[in-house]
Amino acid sequence: MSDLVEVGKNIARLRKAKGLSQEEAAFAADRSFSCWQQIEHGYQNTTADTLRCVARVLGVAPLVLGVLSWSDAEILAAVRQAPQMPPAPFGKNIALFRKGKGLSQKELAKRAHVSAARLRDLEHGCANVTVAFLERVAAGLGVSALALGALGLSEDQVLEMVHQAREMAEMQAA
């Protein structure tokens, strides 16, 4: 998810396809109406936890929210950046990815322009970080945020998630 404006547009499309108002969706996600509006407008401080709640309400996987307009080839190229490993919590995936590249937390933090303490908290599952933070970590690892989110998933699984979300969004357009 490299463009939160695109993520917001996709969230709005999916919400409308489900026949939900912003207020209904916000309530279902246990978020405020103003928070939901900010998300749909691409607010830069949206957290990963909030996007998980939004995706749950919309009935999609969080990793598809920013890639509905990508071609299948672009999605596959991003997914192929990730090594094959069993699924794990997001922070643990980052730690495994980092170690696989032979980087210390301090080295990755420097590459990603984030604090080593915050990266450590993320890897230990103690941090609710923004999407922008996750994008910086992904860039520090030399991969897309989609690749981080797709760890442990097959290419077919990722494409199936994206195709289902696209179909849902296209229902709104019809």
Side-chain angles (χ1 to χ4, degrees):
M1 290 178 258
S2 59
D3 183 356
L4 287 174
V5 172
E6 179 73 18
V7 170
K9 287 178 184 176
N10 290 333
I11 288 169
R13 287 176 55 204
L14 292 166
R15 174 187 53 77
K16 290 173 185 174
K18 290 195 71 91
L20 296 171
S21 69
Q22 286 181 328
E23 287 178 330
E24 292 167 326
F27 181 78
D30 197 27
R31 298 298 186 266
S32 70
F33 175 65
S34 64
C35 175
W36 193 279
Q37 286 181 312
Q38 290 175 339
I39 292 165
E40 286 193 8
H41 286 97
Y43 184 59
Q44 295 300 307
N45 286 328
T46 301
T47 65
D49 284 350
T50 295
L51 284 184
R52 279 192 287 272
C53 290
V54 167
R56 177 187 46 79
V57 168
L58 299 175
V60 299
L63 67 92
V64 306
L65 292 174
V67 298
L68 292 182
S69 63
W70 291 17
S71 70
D72 286 357
E74 291 170 314
I75 292 167
L76 290 175
V79 170
R80 289 176 181 146
Q81 293 177 320
Q84 291 302 307
M85 56 181 60
F90 205 82
K92 186 171 180 154
N93 280 341
I94 290 171
L96 291 170
F97 209 125
R98 174 183 56 76
K99 289 174 185 176
K101 292 194 167 250
L103 297 171
S104 69
Q105 284 179 337
K106 188 175 181 178
E107 290 168 325
L108 176 55
K110 185 176 180 180
R111 284 183 179 192
H113 307 287
V114 300
S115 82
R118 191 75 169 142
L119 178 62
R120 181 188 63 241
D121 289 347
L122 172 62
E123 288 186 0
H124 288 263
C126 303
N128 182 15
V129 296
T130 64
V131 174
F133 182 92
L134 292 174
E135 289 174 343
R136 287 194 306 269
V137 171
L141 289 166
V143 299
S144 69
L146 175 62
L148 288 180
L151 285 174
L153 299 173
S154 71
E155 293 174 1
D156 290 339
Q157 288 172 310
V158 173
L159 284 177
E160 179 63 24
M161 288 179 208
V162 172
H163 291 165
Q164 287 176 351
R166 280 183 190 152
E167 287 173 18
M168 193 183 319
E170 288 168 4
M171 288 178 8
Q172 181 260 334

